[in-house]
Amino acid sequence: MSLRIVVTVKYVPDATGDRHFADDLTVDRDDVDGLLSELDEYAVEQALQIAESSDDEVEVTVLTVGPEDAKDALRKALSMGADKAIHVEDDDLHGTDAIGTSLVLAKAIEKAGFDLVVSGMASTDGTAGIVPALVAERLGVAQVTLLSEVAVADGAVSGRRDGDAASERLSAALPAVVSVTDQSGEARYPSFKGIMAAKKKPVQAWDLSDLGIEAGEVGLEGAWTKVEAAAERPARTAGTIVKDEGEGGKQLAEFLAGQKFI
Amino acid sequence: MAEVLVYVDHVDGAVRKPTLELLTLARRLGDPVAVALGAGAGATAGVLAEHGAVKVLTDEAAEYADYLVVPKVEALQAAVAAVSPVAVLVPSSAEGKEVAARLALRITSGIITDAIDVEAGESGPVATQSVFAASFTTRSIVTTGVAVITVKPNSAPVEAAPAAGTVEALTVTFSAQATGTKVTGRTPRESTGRPELTEAAIVVSGGRGVNGAENFAVIEALADSLGAAVGASRAAVDAGWYPHSNQVGQTGKSVSPQLYIASGISGAIQHRAGMQTSKTIVAINKDAEAPIFDLVDYGVVGDLFDVVPALTAEVNTRKG
């Protein structure tokens, strides 16, 4: 038996940078450094843990869709311990929405071959958290998402999903799409050995034609939604700041009463 | 008039507030038709009718509780086929977004998530979103198919608007896919008696400065005096002082209450991403240089263990 795991990762603009929009209302990637989305590090970690705890032969492939620089995200995942990487890059992908991204990911996952797909719960830039569900829908396989605990055994994946109203135990037969939360387990730091080894690991490059996708199905033109306007939120007007010299609590109560909160 | 589908979030027939907010928004676009699924679905009709639902489509099949997400997708798909709506509105919970996304793909429609406002526009509904940790506001439309939009809690007032609320059974035939992910166990979250974090009008949060699980009692006492929900920063959650379900921020929950009180929270970008759209922001922190003070309407530089109990006492006194 062998188990093929594909981990989907995203290269995102650093949230501590000054993020803004380009003229075509897509995210401006030129002015802000990118990095592997932190939430995807948990996905890489869980894939590696599944591989380490398995008696079967397990191959962990990390997959990203993104511009040239997105290779950095793949390198990070490879240095953590993934076996190989796939980079889908094509100029026509510029402006692709979540629906289009799920198409590209699903086609690439099918081409790579898979038993299990592991994703982060959401990207740290868009934060919608819908791509894993969309990929499961596209692939026609079970969706086992938002897991804070995950295990694979006997051809099935199981885990715990903590919702607002209840904590649920889930189970599905493979193949399946899993997404994991930041509660699933601390992601490991790449070791020096891991970083050196990553340089020798294969990174496959695919474009849209490799996946049989027409340019018009993706990108801004193929998007099923359109951003019509983006405006910077006006800076908040400077608030009142007081130093507590024994009356801070009372003063704050006064403010809250003035705003009708008390 | 055009019909608008509203997905009903309820627990055993008790409708959660974000659904009532959606009905207010739906009325701007057309006649709201509510879709209530699972045990207790029929019991939701009364309150939905009071808030503008002209029709309530229900199905109480066990599949909605026994399997994850897909049965709900297939029910909404059946509802779309039955009603031909101009839009589908779904609450922006983690599950709501997954249901909406799969529905959108099935009916070849674009999806917009986490809207904070929805209005009628010339070419269909226009959704407002708050992005990049609330530093930008965008306005977007769906260009293909029916507009599927998920809306964050506290995005609209709950307004009564009595309507017929006629209950009709929704006929759903489940595919093999619907039963792909089995729910093998369910432990209901223990009620704290406090409002749900994402829906609360007031949120009181504690961070690194709270310095210990036992000290969260100080934060909880203030929350209870104000009828508020309790939140926690990632630092406090990672330290094990408060449950992850209460984490506010990029990797936790996004909240948008009328009033947000941050105590002992420095205001890292990850936290700001989850609370920056709050209407009024108050912070209490010893460090006058903490970035949270850039956001506040009112800030107190001081020890939270002095300020918070004094505030709690004052609130309780004023409430008499």
Side-chain angles (χ1 to χ4, degrees), chain B residues 50-260:
Chain B
E50 282 167 32
H51 293 87
V54 298
K55 206 189 292 178
V56 182
L57 303 175
T58 65
D59 184 30
E60 303 205 358
E63 277 83 350
Y64 303 116
D66 294 348
Y67 301 93
L68 191 72
V69 171
V70 188
K72 292 168 181 166
V73 175
E74 298 194 342
L76 272 182
Q77 198 180 357
V80 168
V83 170
S84 299
V86 290
V88 181
L89 302 184
V90 180
S92 257
S93 62
E95 185 186 72
K97 289 196 281 190
E98 292 184 333
V99 170
R102 295 187 72 145
L103 171 76
L105 190 50
R106 285 198 184 193
I107 62 173
T108 318
S109 295
I111 173 164
I112 297 171
T113 54
D114 294 319
I116 55 168
D117 199 13
V118 180
E119 299 160 285
E122 274 173 28
S123 45
V126 181
T128 305
Q129 291 163 291
S130 180
V131 301
F132 296 162
S135 58
F136 276 81
T137 303
T138 60
R139 287 165 61 82
S140 301
I141 56 167
V142 166
T143 51
T144 298
V146 179
V148 178
I149 301 171
T150 76
V151 182
K152 285 175 73 165
N154 289 325
S155 295
V158 173
E159 287 169 6
T166 317
V167 178
E168 281 180 27
L170 180 68
T171 309
V172 188
T173 312
F174 297 114
S175 74
Q177 257 196 45
T179 53
T181 307
K182 196 166 175 37
V183 179
T184 57
R186 180 176 285 118
T187 313
R189 194 168 288 292
E190 261 178 59
S191 172
T192 58
R194 299 191 182 96
E196 166 64 30
L197 183 59
T198 54
E199 300 169 15
I202 303 178
V203 174
V204 179
S205 283
R208 200 186 295 275
V210 175
N211 203 21
E214 64 286 356
N215 297 338
F216 256 86
V218 174
I219 304 296
E220 290 176 335
L222 174 59
D224 291 342
S225 75
L226 291 164
V230 177
S233 74
R234 179 165 182 177
V237 170
D238 282 353
W241 302 340
Y242 223 67
H244 180 251
S245 51
N246 296 69
Q247 184 177 319
V248 173
Q250 197 169 36
T251 59
K253 286 181 175 155
S254 163
V255 300
S256 195
Q258 298 297 320
L259 171 64
Y260 188 83

